Each structure stands twice: as C-alpha cells, then as structure tokens.
Amino acid sequence: MFSLQIRPASAADLPVITDIYAEAVRFGTATFELIPPDLAEMTRRFRTLTDGGFPYLAAVLGGRVTGYAYAGPYRPRPAYRFTVENSVYLATAIHRRGIGRQLLERLIADCETRGFRQMIAVIGDSANAASIGVHTACGFQMIGTHPSVGLKFGRWLDTVMMQRRLGEGATTVPPAT
C-alpha cells in the first residue's frame, strides 16, 4: 500500500495533469469542455492561477501524480475577490479511494490560510453523485441546480451549485477591503 502525499503542484507535474484532465474532457461530464487543452494551455492556466495567489495541488501515490485540485476566481469582478471556485480531478484508476476528498480538504485549508471566505463548487452533471457526495462530506451545502445548461455527448446536462464557508465566512469583513 502506497502512502498518499498532497503537495503544491509544480510545472513538472503538468504533463500528467494534462493527461488526467484530457481523459475527463473526452469521457466525463465533470467538465463541459469538449476538446482537451494541450500542455501549453494547461501550463498557461496553471501559471495564471499560481501567479494570482491561488492554491494548485497534486496528489501523489506511489511516486506518481494521480490527481490534482485547484481554486481559482469565482468571477472576475473585484467584489468576488474573497470567493473561489474549486476543481478536483483524479485519474480514473484511483476513483473511490478517498483521494478526492483528501485533495478537497487540503484545498479548503489552503484557501482559508490565504484569506478566502467562500468556496463555490460548480459540479457538471447532476448525476455526478460521487462529486456531490464528496462536497457534502466536506461541508458544502446545495445552492441549486441549473437544469440543462450544457450539451455534451449528445445530451443536456445540469450544473449543480454548492457552497461552503471558509474561515469566518461572511460573519466579518476582511481587513483592507
């Protein structure tokens, strides 16, 4: 049995991260992208997030990256600056082993440390019970469902919205706002 390590992702992890995401794009409904981005685009996205002060994590099992998670801006307008949106992706071979939950728990902690106050999960496909379950187990509450907003694999898909308070949440106003 290998022990799981969750650490900040690096540029060296991006080829495997790109492959994990490409599989999710090609075969899954967690993302509504239709064409997998190449390594150059994934590198651009990674740099934008990490340069912007957002956490980007890698799950390493047996010396190999098997999943990743990151937080990014929920929306671009400045009033949203304390709210992040999360993403978690795993290699298919390691689904249902608790690694996604551990990634999400670490991501939540890292976002709290950085002063963010709300985390939004935008879950593709209301049939994605595993993602909904992991988010619920990590303290997210259902906000609502946008029915039939994405078309992928010849069918209409819902988007499920969930939210979790980070740190003090909305009970106080962050300093220097």
Side-chain angles (χ1 to χ4, degrees):
M1 183 67 150
F2 296 110
S3 66
L4 177 68
Q5 176 192 15
I6 297 176
R7 58 164 173 73
S10 71
D13 300 324
L14 293 176
V16 174
I17 286 171
T18 299
D19 290 344
I20 291 169
Y21 188 64
E23 185 174 331
V25 171
R26 282 195 289 273
F27 303 110
T29 56
T31 174
F32 283 13
E33 283 201 71
L34 302 176
I35 299 169
D38 63 13
L39 178 59
E41 175 59 16
M42 291 295 283
T43 300
R44 186 197 66 73
R45 293 177 188 186
F46 171 78
R47 295 260 184 252
T48 297
L49 291 171
T50 56
D51 290 350
F54 296 96
Y56 203 118
L57 305 171
V60 180
L61 192 63
R64 180 164 169 77
V65 173
T66 56
Y68 68 100
Y70 62 85
Y74 171 62
R75 298 262 171 113
R77 294 201 169 102
Y80 293 109
R81 69 191 174 281
F82 294 103
T83 301
V84 293
E85 180 179 334
N86 77 71
S87 293
V88 179
Y89 290 94
L90 303 173
T92 303
I94 57 118
H95 284 194
R96 302 200 184 280
R97 294 188 189 179
I99 294 170
R101 181 176 178 166
Q102 290 178 64
L103 269 168
L104 184 53
E105 287 171 343
R106 169 72 182 272
L107 186 65
I108 290 166
D110 284 6
C111 285
E112 287 176 331
T113 299
R114 294 170 193 229
F116 295 110
R117 295 295 190 90
Q118 302 290 331
M119 183 176 281
I120 304 293
V122 181
I123 299 169
D125 194 359
S126 58
N128 192 340
S131 184
I132 293 168
V134 165
H135 282 86
T136 300
C138 288
F140 284 76
Q141 295 182 345
M142 185 70 65
I143 304 170
T145 301
H146 299 286
S148 303
V149 294
L151 181 65
K152 189 171 182 180
F153 304 133
R155 65 185 176 102
W156 288 103
L157 300 169
D158 303 336
T159 298
V160 175
M161 304 292 289
M162 299 183 79
Q163 183 172 344
R164 183 192 194 282
R165 174 180 130 168
L166 298 175
E168 294 179 20
T171 62
T172 64
V173 175
T177 60

